[in-house]
Amino acid sequence: MYHSVGDRSDDPYRVTVTPARLDAQLGWLRRRGLRGVSVAALLAARARGAGRGLVGLTFDDGYADFVTHALPLLRKWDCGATLFVLPGRLGGDNAWDRLGPRKPLLTADGIRLAAAEGVEIGSHGLTHVDLTGADDAVLRAETAGSRARLAELTGTAVAGFCYPYGTVDRRAAEAVRQAGYGYGCAIDPGALTGPYALPRVHVGEDDTAVRLLLKRGLHRWRRRPAEGV
């Protein structure tokens, strides 16, 4: 799980990795016979029994620096990824991060460019709202509404959803399922399991080779079968 790729001189939420660090991390994967792919590609491969050696890469929030910094490195290392964007904040910024700094988000053209390069486009909701505290109308807008807007923007159906802040409960997961998504990504979904509560590992600037090795091992140890919600 990545977010922004760029300057991290002011990064109070630790959501940014430098291009040099991402380059090193992708190289680490490839040297171990692993390849980054989109979540949709990973799930499809696992369903065929062919998921060995594949690692799902996700980039949350849809920062504009994905196109300028992350995309060239994904090309360099022949990796795919899923980019979770906010169609209600196109060309805006990360106003939900109170401490800043303000980071620009992709425009519609930027999202189309990423899609044209083979990046899976998924929804992060409309505006980055914690779905576990949303009323019914907001929940529908953030799930079904965002999926419809992204389908119109990209011209393709949207399979993936990523819960803002990584928070999910049964009600939110059910809303994502009813909206027509094929899967939902969380961070640590707690007692929930299944395709609508997929756990992910945060990867940051401090994650050098040893830390990546440990994180990969711990994630495999704590992963539960994809059953349930």
Side-chain angles (χ1 to χ4, degrees), residues 25 28-29 32 34 200-203 206-223:
Q25 291 166 345
W28 181 90
L29 287 176
R32 281 153 184 79
L34 305 172
R200 294 179 297 162
V201 175
H202 168 75
V203 180
D206 295 334
D207 288 321
T208 55
V210 173
R211 286 172 60 94
L212 287 174
L213 186 64
L214 290 172
K215 282 190 171 185
R216 181 170 182 248
L218 287 172
H219 181 70
R220 294 178 68 183
W221 174 76
R222 64 192 268 275
R223 187 181 67 210

Side-chain angles (χ1 to χ4, degrees), residues 85 87 111 121-123 145-156 158:
V85 301
I111 292 171
I121 304 299
S123 173
S146 67
R147 185 169 188 255
R149 288 177 66 169
L150 278 181
E152 182 179 359
L153 189 157
T154 62
T156 61
V158 178

Side-chain angles (χ1 to χ4, degrees), residues 1-5 11 13-16 58-66 82-97 101 103-107 111 121-129 150 161-166 187 200 202:
M1 177 182 66
Y2 290 96
H3 290 78
S4 174
V5 182
D11 188 31
Y13 294 101
R14 302 179 68 185
V15 297
T16 308
T58 62
F59 291 79
D60 291 9
D61 302 330
Y63 291 106
D65 57 33
F66 177 84
T82 300
L83 175 65
F84 291 114
V85 301
L86 298 154
R89 292 187 183 271
L90 297 177
D93 61 32
N94 56 328
W96 61 89
D97 286 337
K103 287 177 172 281
L105 303 177
L106 287 166
T107 63
I111 292 171
I121 304 299
S123 173
H124 203 25
L126 275 178
T127 58
H128 209 282
V129 172
L150 278 181
F161 187 89
C162 175
Y163 301 98
Y165 305 103
I187 299 176
R200 294 179 297 162
H202 168 75

Side-chain angles (χ1 to χ4, degrees), residues 41-56:
L42 175 63
L43 294 177
R46 291 185 63 185
R48 302 191 305 269
R52 185 176 180 84
L54 301 181
V55 177

